[in-house]
């Protein structure tokens, strides 16, 4: 079973759609109330997990932080939990909305873009300091949970250009292949 630990509801909504598209049926997503809650509970959750076949994926936004330092900290937390269970860590660059910006066709299908329009804010979405602000330029009423519900069903792993999206897809495939 794949167990995904993530910091927010909008990522859970998005992951459920991605997992459905990838044909993953045995999974559980544990959603925390932000990064602080995720990091405070991570070691305890993994240590307490009773399924010996569980494989863990920890996903959090990078939020313009130091990727290596964040991954190192999360790796140490996983090791503190016993470290024998298969686990991967993925950081979203910089936040979930970059994945949405990296798939203009999904934005069109969800009603955030006019067909064929490709505003400059879609270029290099993972380098936006705050991708959510870019989405709010497309729709000032954009909200994370609602946006995920509208956009995630249209995300296409073959079309999305975000490297962190592809790294996450690969991690899911690796963890569910064994």
């Amino acid at each position: 079973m794949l167990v995904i630990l993530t910091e927010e509801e909008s990522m859970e909504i998005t992951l459920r759609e991605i997992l459905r598209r990838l044909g993953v049926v045995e999974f559980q997503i544990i959603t925390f109330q932000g990064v602080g809650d995720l990091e405070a509970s991570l070691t305890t959750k993994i240590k307490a997990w009773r399924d010996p076949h569980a494989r863990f994926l920890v996903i959090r936004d990078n939020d313009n932080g130091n990727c290596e330092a964040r991954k190192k900290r999360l790796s140490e937390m996983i090791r503190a939990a016993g470290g024998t269970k298969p686990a991967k860590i993925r950081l979203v660059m910089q936040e979930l909305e970059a994945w949405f910006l990296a798939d203009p066709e999904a934005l069109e299908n969800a009603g955030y873009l006019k067909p064929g329009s490709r505003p400059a804010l879609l270029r290099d979405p993972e380098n936006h300091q705050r991708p959510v602000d870019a989405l709010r330029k497309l729709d000032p009423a954009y909200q994370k949970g609602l946006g995920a519900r509208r956009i995630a069903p249209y995300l296409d792993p073959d079309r999305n250009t975000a490297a962190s999206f592809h790294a996450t897809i690969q991690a899911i495939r690796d963890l569910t292949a064994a």
Side-chain angles (χ1 to χ4, degrees), residues 38-87:
L38 168 68
E39 291 187 356
S41 304
L42 181 64
T43 301
T44 305
K45 288 282 186 196
I46 292 176
K47 188 181 279 189
W49 208 266
R50 297 291 173 223
D51 180 354
H53 304 291
R55 298 172 182 289
F56 294 88
L57 176 60
V58 179
I59 302 177
R60 65 154 290 180
D61 293 348
N62 187 42
D63 294 325
N64 298 301
N66 179 316
C67 287
E68 291 177 18
R70 289 197 196 286
K71 276 188 146 180
K72 181 179 179 188
R73 177 171 163 67
L74 291 168
S75 292
E76 289 168 357
M77 295 169 91
I78 291 169
R79 271 195 299 283
T84 58
K85 298 170 183 164

Side-chain angles (χ1 to χ4, degrees), residues 7 31-42:
E7 67 178 276
T31 304
F32 295 90
Q33 300 301 310
V35 173
D37 185 30
L38 168 68
E39 291 187 356
S41 304
L42 181 64

